[in-house]
C-alpha cells in the first residue's frame, strides 16, 4: 500500500464483516447454485470470460444496498480500491478443470507481510487507499497494483467498477475494480515490508466445490462465518477477498453447489 497501512481494506480478527453471525442455513454462499447444464459441456475460451466480466460491469449488481449505513455516525470513512485482475496469465492450468471457464483463466492475488500491524499474512487483492492525486478508484487500483505487485498499468484493461463495499474495522468503503490483463508479464512482491507474495490462482480451482469452505471466527463471544477458498500451498483465502470472489462467481454464473457446512477456523 502506498498510502498508509491503516487505509488498506481490512478484515481479520478485529473485522468480522464481511462474515456474519452464525444463523440457520448457509450465509453468503452459492450452495444453492445449480451445476452447469449440457450447454456448458465444452470448455469456454478465455474471451468468453471477458464477455461475462464486461456484462457484469454493465449490470452493476448491488451487494450492499446502503454501504455507508454500516459505519457509525461519527466514523471517518476512507475510500479505497482493489484491482480484481483476470487474464490468461501463465502456463499452469487448473488442477480441476470446469466447463464454464478456460483452464488457464487466472486471477491475481497477493499475500500481506506477516509483520504488518493490520491483517498480517492474509491474502488480498492488490489495492489500498485512494489518494487525493488519484483520478478515481480505477487509477488508485492500478497505482497500488504497480507498487505492490509490479503490475504494469499500461498492460491492464480496466473493464469497470462494482459498487462500494463497507469494511467497518478500517472504516473503508472499497471499490472493486475489474481488470483484464491484455499484456501479462512476470510479477513479484515489490515491497517485502508490505507484500511477501504475488500469485495467480486458476479460476476453475476456485469454482471447485472441494476447495470451497466456510471460515469460522470467534469475536467478542460471537461466532462469525464467511465463504473461503483453499488454494495452492495450503493458503486459505477468506474475509473481504473471499467475499468478493464468492459474489463474483455467483454473479457471473460460474459457481456450482458447494457444502457450506464444511468449516475451517479462520487463520488469524
Amino acid at each position: 500500500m502506498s498510502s498508509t497501512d491503516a487505509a488498506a481494506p481490512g478484515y481479520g480478527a478485529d473485522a468480522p464483516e464481511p462474515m456474519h453471525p452464525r444463523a440457520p442455513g448457509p450465509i453468503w454462499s452459492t450452495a444453492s447454485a445449480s451445476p452447469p447444464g449440457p450447454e456448458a459441456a465444452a470448455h469456454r475460451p478465455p474471451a468468453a470470460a471477458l464477455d461475462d466480466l464486461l456484462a457484469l460491469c454493465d449490470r452493476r449488481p448491488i451487494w450492499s444496498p446502503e454501504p455507508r449505513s454500516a459505519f457509525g455516525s461519527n466514523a471517518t470513512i476512507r475510500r479505497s480500491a482493489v484491482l480484481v485482475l483476470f487474464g490468461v496469465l501463465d502456463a499452469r492450468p487448473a488442477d480441476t478443470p470446469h466447463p464454464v471457464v478456460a483452464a488457464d483463466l487466472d486471477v491475481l492475488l497477493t499475500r500481506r507481510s506477516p509483520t504488518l500491524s493490520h491483517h498480517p499474512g492474509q491474502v488480498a487483492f492488490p489495492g489500498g487507499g485512494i489518494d487525493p492525486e488519484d483520478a478515481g478508484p480505477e487509477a488508485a487500483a492500478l497505482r497500488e497494483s504497480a507498487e505492490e505487485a509490479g503490475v504494469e498499468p499500461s498492460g491492464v484493461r480496466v473493464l469497470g467498477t462494482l459498487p462500494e463495499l463497507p469494511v467497518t474495522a478500517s472504516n473503508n468503503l472499497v471499490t472493486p475494480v475489474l481488470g483484464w490483463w491484455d499484456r501479462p508479464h512476470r510479477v513479484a512482491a515489490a515491497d517485502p515490508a508490505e507484500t511477501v507474495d504475488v500469485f495467480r490462482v486458476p479460476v476453475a480451482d476456485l469454482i471447485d466445490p472441494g476447495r470451497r469452505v466456510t471460515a469460522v471466527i470467534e469475536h467478542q463471544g460471537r461466532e462469525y462465518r464467511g465463504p473461503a477458498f483453499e488454494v495452492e500451498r495450503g493458503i486459505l483465502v477468506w474475509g473481504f477477498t473471499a467475499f468478493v470472489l464468492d459474489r463474483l462467481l455467483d454473479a457471473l454464473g460460474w459457481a456450482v453447489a458447494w457444502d457450506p457446512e464444511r468449516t475451517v477456523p479462520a487463520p488469524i
Side-chain angles (χ1 to χ4, degrees), residues 9-10 78-82 162-167 172-176 240:
R78 304 180 181 95
R79 295 184 62 239
S80 300
V82 295
L162 298 177
E164 295 173 316
L165 293 169
V167 182
N172 269 274
L173 274 176
V174 185
T175 299
F240 176 83

Side-chain angles (χ1 to χ4, degrees), residues 183-211:
R183 295 191 300 277
H185 57 86
R186 185 180 297 277
V187 290
D191 182 358
E194 294 189 357
T195 304
V196 296
D197 199 6
V198 179
F199 58 102
R200 299 166 294 197
V201 176
V203 174
D205 287 346
L206 296 174
I207 294 171
D208 179 10
R211 297 175 182 262

Side-chain angles (χ1 to χ4, degrees), residues 6-265:
Y11 48 89
D14 60 343
E17 88 302 325
M19 308 177 85
H20 272 201
R22 185 173 185 176
I27 295 173
W28 282 353
S29 78
T30 53
S32 61
S34 300
E39 69 279 1
H43 286 279
R44 304 173 74 209
L50 176 57
D51 291 341
D52 290 345
L53 291 164
L54 287 167
L56 179 62
C57 291
D58 288 340
R59 293 198 306 273
R60 288 185 62 83
I62 298 175
W63 295 338
S64 182
E66 298 181 6
R68 290 180 180 270
S69 67
F71 303 98
S73 57
N74 296 323
T76 300
I77 301 174
R78 304 180 181 95
R79 295 184 62 239
S80 300
V82 295
L83 181 65
V84 187
L85 182 58
F86 292 92
V88 184
L89 303 178
D90 59 21
R92 187 175 85 81
D95 294 329
T96 309
H98 191 274
V100 301
V101 296
D104 54 357
L105 177 69
D106 290 354
V107 64
L108 183 73
L109 297 173
T110 69
R111 189 156 48 135
R112 293 166 58 80
S113 169
T115 62
L116 290 174
S117 58
H118 293 271
H119 325 297
Q122 294 186 7
V123 175
F125 299 114
I130 301 175
D131 289 346
E133 59 270 25
D134 290 324
E138 298 95 334
L142 290 174
R143 173 182 55 76
E144 290 281 358
S145 298
E147 293 173 358
E148 291 182 1
V151 174
E152 174 53 54
S154 64
V156 175
R157 189 190 327 179
V158 173
L159 306 180
T161 63
L162 298 177
E164 295 173 316
L165 293 169
V167 182
T168 58
S170 53
N171 288 339
N172 269 274
L173 274 176
V174 185
T175 299
V177 177
L178 294 187
W180 185 264
W181 212 342
D182 281 327
R183 295 191 300 277
H185 57 86
R186 185 180 297 277
V187 290
D191 182 358
E194 294 189 357
T195 304
V196 296
D197 199 6
V198 179
F199 58 102
R200 299 166 294 197
V201 176
V203 174
D205 287 346
L206 296 174
I207 294 171
D208 179 10
R211 297 175 182 262
R212 303 290 314 261
V213 294
T214 297
V216 180
I217 184 174
E218 296 284 343
H219 180 72
Q220 297 181 347
R222 304 179 72 184
E223 182 183 85
Y224 294 84
R225 295 184 167 208
F229 300 81
E230 295 175 330
V231 297
E232 60 186 70
R233 294 173 285 165
I235 295 172
L236 185 73
V237 183
W238 65 289
F240 176 83
T241 306
F243 168 69
V244 173
L245 288 171
D246 174 74
R247 282 302 177 100
L248 275 175
L249 293 180
D250 195 22
L252 290 163
W254 297 351
V256 298
W258 60 282
D259 182 9
E261 296 305 315
R262 191 163 74 93
T263 62
V264 298

